[in-house]
Amino acid sequence: MGRTATFDRADAVRAARGVFWNQGYEATSIPDLEQATGLKRSSLYHAFESKKGLFDEVVENYLAESVRPLLARITSEEAKPDALNDYFATLASSISSTDRHPGCLLIAAANGPVGTDPVVSAAISGYYDELFATFRAGLGRARPHLTEAETGSQARTLVALTISALALARTNKTLALANLQAAQALLAVQD
């Protein structure tokens, strides 16, 4: 019979998330994960089976704790018509408030070899789909006069600006913020 885990799995995943988010999947080593989580290599492998298994849990944790709470502000029943604009203001504030913003864990993964892994690729595609559906909903609330085609087109533009901003956040804060300002300008245009 195996030993019972004596660590908090969620805490270990959160600690690993910080390392993967800051360094990227490929640059993160098992010793990095040992140091961050306080777990020995054997415990990491016993609990998560592999570095990739841990990363898969990190991705789900990232979506649940970092991405979806922000998106829920746009889609909740109590959301205001300007909730989508507030989303872009929140992203801009987050990027502006740190010297070095880590960008988006999923976008960073998409641009590395791990992005071709079927599980990670599906998570990235799902993230895009969630952004698109959320932005469509937010546009529907903010601009009910738009046609379905116009709403879809504007939602895709906002997704593209978001992904671009989050990809640039790590390396060029000015360009990232310019893309978020462009998203807000698009929302401000009166049809």
Side-chain angles (χ1 to χ4, degrees):
M1 178 162 53
R3 287 188 351 199
T4 303
T6 58
F7 66 93
D8 185 309
R9 188 177 189 95
D11 287 345
V13 169
R14 282 186 201 99
R17 181 181 72 192
V19 178
F20 283 126
W21 200 350
N22 285 319
Q23 295 179 191
Y25 177 82
E26 285 77 18
T28 298
S29 67
I30 295 298
D32 294 333
L33 295 170
E34 287 176 303
Q35 182 177 4
T37 64
L39 299 174
K40 300 259 186 254
R41 180 181 305 251
S42 60
S43 296
L44 285 170
Y45 281 107
H46 180 73
F48 303 102
E49 297 182 8
S50 66
K51 174 180 156 183
K52 173 64 177 45
L54 175 55
F55 185 72
D56 290 342
E57 285 198 40
V58 162
V59 166
E60 286 307 313
N61 174 272
Y62 173 74
L63 288 167
E65 292 187 358
S66 296
V67 173
R68 291 183 182 128
L70 284 176
L71 298 182
R73 295 181 193 174
I74 300 167
T75 58
S76 75
E77 301 238 350
E78 301 82 36
K80 299 175 188 160
D82 63 346
L84 194 51
N85 190 61
D86 289 347
Y87 170 83
F88 291 108
T90 299
L91 285 184
S93 176
S94 174
I95 290 170
S96 295
S97 68
T98 59
D99 289 334
R100 183 179 176 270
H101 192 277
C104 173
L105 175 71
L106 289 172
I107 293 167
N111 291 305
V114 75
T116 62
D117 174 84
V119 173
V120 176
S121 179
I124 293 164
S125 294
Y127 174 54
Y128 180 96
D129 293 342
E130 283 186 61
L131 284 176
F132 180 68
T134 299
F135 292 175
R136 279 185 72 94
L139 284 165
R141 187 173 275 125
R143 299 175 141 185
H145 61 281
L146 294 178
T147 67
E148 284 293 314
E150 290 169 331
T151 300
S153 177
Q154 288 188 19
R156 286 205 192 285
T157 300
L158 293 173
V159 170
L161 288 166
T162 302
I163 289 173
S164 175
L166 292 171
L168 291 165
R170 187 182 294 256
T171 59
N172 192 321
K173 187 186 295 193
T174 301
L175 292 178
L177 293 171
N179 283 344
L180 295 174
Q181 289 168 349
Q184 290 178 299
L186 175 67
L187 292 171
V189 171
Q190 298 298 316
D191 297 307

